[in-house]
Amino acid sequence: MASKVVYFTINGRPEQAEFTNNSPAQDVKDLFRAAAEAGPYDILKMYNTQGSLINIAPGLLANDPQSCYRLEVVAAEYSTELLGTELAVALGFDLSSMEKRLQNLEKKIPTEVGATPALISEMKNQVEFLQKKLETVEHLSWLGLFKEMPDVPQKLSPFYHKRTLRKPQGECELVREKFLQMNSLEVSEDVRAYLKTPTFDNWQWEDAEIMVLLQVMYVDLDLVSTFSIELEVLQGFLYEVYRHYNNIPFHNFKHCFCVTQMMYGLICLTDLKNKIESIDLLIMLTSAVCHDLDHTGYNNAYQINAQTELALRYNDIAPLENHHCAVAFEILVKPENNIFRNLTTEQYKRVREGMIKCILATDMARHNDILNQFKSVQSDFDFQNKEHKDVLMKILVKVSDISNEARPMDVAEPWLDCLLQEFFNQSDMEKLRGLPVTPFMDRDKVTKPSSQTGFIRFVLFPLYTELANLFPCLEKHLIDPVRKALNYYSEMEVASEKERTNCSEKTEMSSGNDPAKEADEAQEKTRPATTN
């Protein structure tokens, strides 16, 4: 396939990139990242001549020097600067400042000295290693930096990968202002088309842009016109939703967007718009938006074992999911946020009932029951049958909620890292407070591949298979990528096991132990004594 040339500017500097339509997506992103001299955690944004965001992907349209795209670099939210002054004081140095100094040194060396000295390379590696540790370990036990745990059960650890659990008001206002300003921009057709696919890469988009894309979904499904939703009310609702998702590694606003985007993609791929009523689409999309509101990063087992306020309020029955529903309707009760305010009484009653059912269905404790309900209606499924349709809506929300592994690996794997960080945070807290430790969250026992292989085999495959039985078109969009993910993590697990075995053998050899000799000695000891 012939290559194409894309012309763009970065900080006013003209550049060009050459690649083909079948180039790997990650290679294309790396190409632009290198041209922009961006760091591994920086976010790249590409704009066309009209100022609209366009997707950085192999399908990017070729242009000419007169119609240059504009590339921008946005520092990632989890940069070292966000570690805070408290941590800088505790460490005794400013990590971000040291990193910048090393970068400057690195740039000067090739011109003034030649090859990078080994000492500088080693320093750079040490800084990167320290930065990675700081970004991925919540309690920082390896530094001895513990904060005194409060006596009140419902209060949470202040150590999250971002600055605070709740979003600061000032930060929220800046995002809101940017969101409202961006509403005047036209979202390009290629982004609109990309938004309907399960391969969508959420990592390119900031929170304000995510709100714009959520608004596009409501408009595109005709929900705005069908239910007379005023745009300013929809914008108020989306902003409050953003504000009520917390700064936690996984169950955050970007997760909310991913779930909603997958729901939107499934609706489009299966042509549900022509199979069920618009009010059901409104229920599913809004349920996806609200399904994890005010999640604090600790699951239902923790809530119940720690006897938190939520567990006490909801009598240990799906405390998180009940809370997410309650927060959603607390937002919607205000007229300026109530996207349902022009519905009839009967319509509102139906929407509220449907949203509660869909959000409560995301409780994994109910997974098998809901899947079995869906299996029981598969053979004679009827889109006009309310019982059948209700269980389908719950299944679609569930599939969307746990759909990361159906995405490309470069999108899915960072989400797994975020999820494991949240799991490890919880198990750390359980150990600190003397609570039962959730086995699949224990950082001392769980590895990335081991966490995924069983989950894919016993949760994702059965769920996705049943949905694909009803909608065969989903086979290539859900089952094929998940099968690839299972192979990837299975191979990683085998490699990890080999590495552990090799390390163990080397340790035994270095300690002077001979496994074969030890086995012979053990056998000799177990032989019965004989007499002459």
Side-chain angles (χ1 to χ4, degrees):
M1 183 179 288
S3 61
K4 59 183 174 183
V5 177
V6 171
Y7 295 90
F8 61 98
T9 61
I10 175 72
N11 296 326
R13 184 180 76 248
E15 293 281 356
Q16 65 185 64
E18 188 173 346
F19 53 91
T20 64
N21 279 330
N22 62 354
S23 298
Q26 190 57 47
D27 288 356
V28 173
K29 290 175 186 174
D30 288 342
L31 193 64
F32 285 101
R33 189 176 294 280
E37 298 180 354
Y41 300 115
D42 291 338
I43 299 169
L44 300 184
K45 297 292 172 59
M46 185 81 84
Y47 298 87
N48 61 18
T49 53
Q50 287 77 44
S52 299
L53 278 163
I54 54 178
N55 186 39
I56 300 174
L60 192 63
L61 295 177
N63 58 356
D64 54 57
Q66 285 70 46
S67 57
C68 270
Y69 299 137
R70 176 166 52 87
L71 185 65
E72 287 187 2
V73 180
V74 182
E77 289 180 325
Y78 41 88
S79 66
T80 54
E81 293 174 7
L82 300 184
L83 292 170
T85 55
E86 180 183 352
L87 184 57
V89 170
L91 291 171
F93 59 88
D94 184 347
L95 186 62
S96 61
S97 173
M98 179 183 287
E99 186 177 31
K100 287 174 184 174
R101 290 171 63 191
L102 280 171
Q103 286 174 349
N104 289 333
L105 269 174
E106 204 173 24
K107 288 176 182 176
K108 290 179 181 178
I109 284 168
T111 55
E112 296 180 7
V113 180
T116 305
L119 179 62
I120 297 297
S121 296
E122 179 60 26
M123 286 175 65
K124 182 171 179 280
N125 290 337
Q126 287 182 15
V127 169
E128 288 175 351
F129 175 71
L130 181 58
Q131 177 178 331
K132 185 178 179 182
K133 254 191 168 183
L134 292 173
E135 289 169 352
T136 56
V137 181
E138 178 185 313
H139 293 296
L140 304 177
S141 57
W142 56 278
L143 278 177
L145 294 179
F146 282 96
K147 279 202 172 180
E148 188 176 343
M149 292 296 117
D151 295 327
V152 184
Q154 62 267 30
K155 285 193 177 179
L156 305 172
S157 164
F159 282 117
Y160 284 93
H161 77 315
K162 291 191 179 182
R163 292 139 288 180
T164 57
L165 173 62
R166 311 294 180 193
K167 292 186 175 81
Q169 186 61 31
E171 177 184 311
C172 290
E173 289 299 327
L174 287 174
V175 171
R176 180 177 181 274
E177 185 180 340
K178 191 169 185 180
F179 168 45
L180 296 178
Q181 288 173 350
M182 295 184 76
N183 271 288
S184 60
L185 292 176
E186 182 66 27
V187 178
S188 61
E189 284 305 314
D190 67 322
V191 170
R192 287 174 179 269
Y194 185 37
L195 192 61
K196 296 178 181 179
T197 68
T199 58
F200 192 88
D201 182 358
N202 67 280
W203 299 113
Q204 302 180 36
W205 306 87
E206 298 175 56
D207 290 338
E209 295 163 341
I210 283 175
M211 284 187 266
V212 172
L213 295 177
L214 290 172
Q215 180 176 301
V216 166
M217 297 178 204
Y218 276 88
V219 173
D220 182 65
L221 293 175
D222 297 327
L223 302 178
V224 169
S225 56
T226 303
F227 299 104
S228 303
I229 303 172
E230 300 96 330
L231 273 182
E232 61 270 21
V233 174
L234 176 59
Q235 290 159 7
F237 167 71
L238 293 174
Y239 168 68
E240 285 301 315
V241 164
Y242 155 75
R243 204 169 65 82
H244 283 81
Y245 273 93
N246 293 319
N247 285 333
I248 53 179
F250 185 86
H251 292 97
N252 49 44
F253 184 59
K254 280 187 170 61
H255 169 67
C256 148
F257 170 74
C258 283
V259 174
T260 309
Q261 186 272 323
M262 183 60 76
M263 173 62 76
Y264 175 66
L266 292 175
I267 289 170
C268 297
L269 288 168
T270 58
D271 193 29
L272 271 184
K273 198 173 176 181
N274 293 315
K275 292 182 173 72
I276 61 178
E277 297 173 75
S278 292
I279 197 164
D280 295 319
L281 301 180
L282 179 65
I283 289 169
M284 289 192 295
L285 198 71
T286 311
S287 296
V289 168
C290 299
H291 83 286
D292 271 330
L293 280 167
D294 198 36
H295 199 301
T296 54
Y298 297 84
N299 73 358
N300 281 332
Y302 177 90
Q303 304 291 334
I304 293 166
N305 289 331
Q307 299 179 35
T308 65
E309 181 186 344
L310 290 185
L312 296 174
R313 183 185 304 162
Y314 296 110
N315 301 311
D316 295 351
I317 301 171
L320 283 176
E321 290 72 26
N322 276 296
H323 180 59
H324 305 324
C325 282
V327 174
F329 286 99
E330 283 172 9
I331 292 171
L332 288 161
V333 79
K334 296 179 181 177
E336 64 270 26
N337 308 322
N338 189 1
I339 58 175
F340 305 144
R341 69 183 187 179
N342 292 323
L343 271 58
T344 65
T345 302
E346 283 305 309
Q347 284 177 322
Y348 178 77
K349 182 179 177 182
R350 180 171 166 182
V351 167
R352 177 168 163 79
E353 177 190 351
M355 280 183 61
I356 292 171
K357 285 181 179 178
C358 284
I359 294 176
L360 291 183
T362 61
D363 179 5
M364 287 303 292
R366 299 182 57 204
H367 175 79
N368 288 332
D369 288 342
I370 295 171
L371 184 57
N372 289 333
Q373 287 173 30
F374 188 53
K375 286 180 181 178
S376 70
V377 300
Q378 275 275 24
S379 58
D380 59 343
F381 192 89
D382 180 3
F383 285 99
Q384 305 308 313
N385 183 311
K386 185 179 185 304
E387 180 187 346
H388 293 191
K389 191 171 57 177
D390 282 353
V391 72
L392 172 63
M393 291 165 67
K394 289 189 281 189
I395 285 289
L396 285 168
V397 172
K398 283 178 61 58
V399 166
S400 301
D401 188 25
I402 52 176
S403 61
N404 283 331
E405 291 305 333
R407 298 182 186 274
M409 190 56 67
D410 62 328
V411 179
E413 194 165 10
W415 274 117
L416 176 56
D417 293 333
C418 292
L419 181 62
L420 289 176
Q421 178 59 42
E422 200 168 291
F423 281 178
F424 295 159
N425 292 347
Q426 176 171 320
S427 66
D428 288 349
M429 181 64 82
E430 287 168 336
K431 292 172 185 177
L432 285 168
R433 299 190 57 196
L435 300 172
V437 178
T438 307
F440 62 86
M441 295 186 179
D442 192 339
R443 70 167 76 241
D444 297 322
K445 297 177 182 177
V446 175
T447 64
K448 183 185 287 190
S450 70
S451 72
Q452 285 305 91
T453 50
F455 182 69
I456 292 173
R457 281 196 185 99
F458 303 115
V459 178
L460 294 190
F461 264 134
L463 181 62
Y464 289 6
T465 300
E466 289 304 321
L467 187 59
N469 285 340
L470 183 62
F471 300 109
C473 64
L474 296 181
E475 175 88 20
K476 67 177 181 179
H477 296 292
L478 293 181
I479 301 200
D480 288 352
V482 165
R483 188 175 286 115
K484 288 179 183 176
L486 179 59
N487 292 337
Y488 173 76
Y489 288 115
S490 296
E491 289 172 6
M492 186 187 292
E493 193 168 26
V494 169
S496 297
E497 186 58 40
K498 282 183 179 177
E499 187 176 352
R500 280 195 297 270
T501 303
N502 290 338
C503 288
S504 177
E505 288 176 353
K506 285 178 182 177
T507 301
E508 288 177 347
M509 294 287 287
S510 63
S511 63
N513 295 333
D514 184 343
K517 184 178 178 181
E518 287 180 354
D520 289 341
E521 289 175 353
Q523 188 175 6
E524 186 67 34
K525 288 178 182 177
T526 57
R527 286 178 184 162
T530 59
T531 56
N532 291 328

